[in-house]
Each structure stands twice: as C-alpha cells, then as structure tokens.
Amino acid sequence: MSSIKLIADSGATKAEWSLVNGGKVKTINTQGISPYFLNTEQIRDLLLKELSPKLKNVQVDEIYYYGTGCANPDNVKLIKKALKHVFPDAYMEVTHDLMAAARALCGPDKGIACILGTGSNSCYYNGKKIMRNSPGLGYVLGDEGSGAYLGRKVLQYYLYGTFDDELRGRFDLTYMTNATEILENVYKKPLPNRYLAGFTYFLAENRGHYMIENIIEDGLNDFFFTHLCKYRETWKLPVNFAGSVAYGFRDVLAQLCQSYEFELGKVLQKPMSGLIAYHR
C-alpha cells in the first residue's frame, strides 16, 4: 500500500498543500507561514484551524514542506516542531523554496533552476543537491528580473516622466495614485517588495508598446547577465524557470535563451505539479 504524502509550498502570504494518496490529489490552501513572523505555537494553531479539518482525519505518512525562510536552520527547527504537534507520527522533510523549484523543474536530472516571482533566485542542481547558488541580495540590492525589480522600473518610468502620454494616461487610469502615495508605500509601509511587484500587471496588460517591451527585456536580461552567466553549466544543461513572472513573460525568456545560446527547459507558473511528480 502506498504511503499518503502531504506536500506544502508556502510563501509568507499563502500556502498550497497537496494531499497525495495514490493517484488522487487533494489541494488545500491556507494562510502563508513565515517563521520570521510566526512562532511555533502560532504556526501550530494555524495548521489546526486551517489545514487539519480539511484533511478529514486522513493519516498522513510523509510530509514534504518547502517554505519561505527555510534556508535558515533555526527556522527549519521551528517549522518541524509545529508540524510534529499536528502530525506526530509522520516522516517529515522541511527545506526552502529554491529546492522546491529545483526538484519541480529538474526532477532527478541535472539542470539550472530559477525562480522569477516577487523575488528572484537561481542555482545549479545536480539531480540530488543544490551545488551552487548565485547570492540573493533581496529587492533593495538585487532580485534582478523579479516582479519587484520590474515593478520598480515601471514606477521609475512613471515618476521620472519617461512614459509617453499614452502610457502615462493608461497608468493614471489603472492605478489612480500619485508620487506621494507611491513613495509612502515604498519607504514607509510594510512589504514594499510586494507593492512593487504589483506593477508587473501593468507590463503584462500593455505588451507591444516599445517602452513596455524594453522594461521587460532589460529586467530579465539583467537576471541572465548577473546570475545565469556565472554558472559554467548554463551552456551545457537546460535552464528552467518557475514563478509568475517567468510564466507571464516566457516568450521573452525564450528569446533571451536563444540570444545567449542557452537551452530553455521547463517554465512553470507554480512548482506544485512538478513536486507531486517528483515525490511520486
């Protein structure tokens, strides 16, 4: 009899859980879990309130948890402790979102795995382990090619008056904001990276305009040049991508891969389907 597995892909805002029982998969969504903002008791209470009732007393044998903040060993211990409260008899593995991308995109094979979502990251994966990781410096100093990076460019074009009248009019109609409000959201309010990433929708909705195409291509090219060119394996192995930005602008990724003479591998909006295949 096959074991019942529970796979989690958790960000700070929302978490997706897949209960895999043989050929059946049940998806459950809960609040996100950030070990930087929640302690063991709060995570345990969240799981008991939002996850356990939807499992309907199913005995989970194995848990594979991929989450934000889980590159930090202390956070891994915290998450494991909370999970053990709820699933005392289950085998569990807790690791970070880059490993989720690597396993979902490459499976048991070697490859380059990239995340292009609100933030960005990349690694060389040898089919079992992440062997090299280009340093992630966060949205202030890095995150090239991410939603926050592209959104910042949109706001720069708007605030510096670079947009032509047509794009400025569309921006005003879409967001009905002003410089004061924008600067307050970026410098004073919490989660400015998410605020910035929200402006990638403006790029997606206005494809075809040369300024929009320039922002997308330049932002993604910065990711290729700054990170992908640092791995010697990039020219030998498929380059794979996961995340909403990667999926939304996959045509630009294909063009850039062709320019750099890289082999484009998989492009997934979310890693979950690949993780289910991996753990099966």
Side-chain angles (χ1 to χ4, degrees):
M1 189 175 173
S2 63
S3 58
I4 298 174
K5 301 179 175 87
L6 184 62
I7 305 167
D9 174 27
S10 177
T13 342
K14 56 188 176 185
E16 182 181 1
W17 304 75
S18 286
L19 185 68
V20 183
N21 185 358
K24 295 178 183 175
V25 177
K26 179 179 180 178
T27 302
I28 300 162
N29 294 300
T30 70
Q31 284 181 65
I33 296 170
S34 172
Y36 290 113
F37 301 122
L38 301 173
N39 61 33
T40 300
E41 290 72 29
Q42 289 170 317
I43 295 169
R44 178 202 63 199
D45 292 346
L46 187 156
L47 295 172
L48 288 170
K49 182 183 175 185
E50 298 190 27
L51 179 65
S52 293
K54 293 173 184 174
L55 296 176
K56 301 188 187 299
N57 298 317
V58 171
Q59 181 68 39
V60 174
D61 302 305
E62 300 170 29
I63 297 173
Y64 299 95
Y65 180 96
Y66 301 90
T68 187
C70 290
N72 180 325
D74 291 334
N75 289 342
V76 169
K77 286 179 192 170
L78 188 149
I79 297 279
K80 272 191 173 177
K81 193 174 175 185
L83 286 167
K84 276 287 179 193
H85 275 297
V86 185
F87 306 98
D89 302 319
Y91 163 82
M92 59 185 64
E93 183 184 323
V94 176
T95 187
H96 48 85
D97 55 355
L98 189 56
M99 181 61 87
R103 287 176 171 176
L105 292 165
C106 305
D109 302 318
K110 295 178 181 179
I112 304 295
C114 310
I115 298 172
L116 291 176
T118 300
S120 67
N121 209 338
S122 65
C123 68
Y124 162 54
Y125 176 72
N126 74 353
K128 291 181 180 176
K129 290 193 247 178
I130 290 171
M131 303 304 290
R132 271 194 303 290
N133 169 218
S134 184
L137 302 178
Y139 77 97
V140 175
L141 294 176
D143 272 355
E144 291 81 7
S146 70
Y149 193 80
L150 295 173
R152 184 173 63 197
K153 284 284 183 192
V154 170
L155 291 180
Q156 286 174 341
Y157 270 55
Y158 177 72
L159 294 171
Y160 285 145
T162 309
F163 279 151
D164 59 21
D165 290 343
E166 181 191 358
L167 280 179
R168 188 172 186 84
R170 288 186 198 174
F171 186 95
D172 286 332
L173 203 61
T174 304
Y175 296 106
M176 292 183 286
T177 188
N178 54 55
T180 305
E181 191 175 63
I182 290 168
L183 295 174
E184 189 160 320
N185 275 284
V186 171
Y187 291 109
K188 291 186 177 178
K189 292 192 177 178
L191 305 173
N193 58 327
R194 269 189 232 156
Y195 174 76
L196 291 170
F199 292 95
T200 54
Y201 292 111
F202 186 73
L203 296 173
E205 287 164 6
N206 292 283
R207 292 294 305 269
H209 191 290
Y210 78 95
M211 285 188 182
I212 297 295
E213 297 302 323
N214 285 347
I215 291 173
I216 297 166
E217 189 173 332
D218 289 350
L220 294 178
N221 185 64
D222 287 347
F223 177 78
F224 274 61
F225 181 78
T226 308
H227 300 287
L228 295 184
C229 288
K230 303 283 171 65
Y231 305 108
R232 61 180 179 273
E233 295 84 3
T234 308
W235 283 271
K236 301 173 187 174
L237 297 168
V239 182
N240 307 277
F241 296 88
S244 53
V245 171
Y247 192 77
F249 304 129
R250 57 195 182 279
D251 60 317
V252 182
L253 293 179
Q255 290 164 16
L256 286 168
C257 280
Q258 194 172 14
S259 300
Y260 279 86
E261 298 183 350
F262 298 161
E263 179 192 343
L264 178 62
K266 293 178 184 171
V267 182
L268 298 176
Q269 188 169 12
K270 295 179 180 179
M272 186 55 83
S273 59
L275 289 173
I276 291 169
Y278 178 85
H279 287 294
R280 271 186 174 146

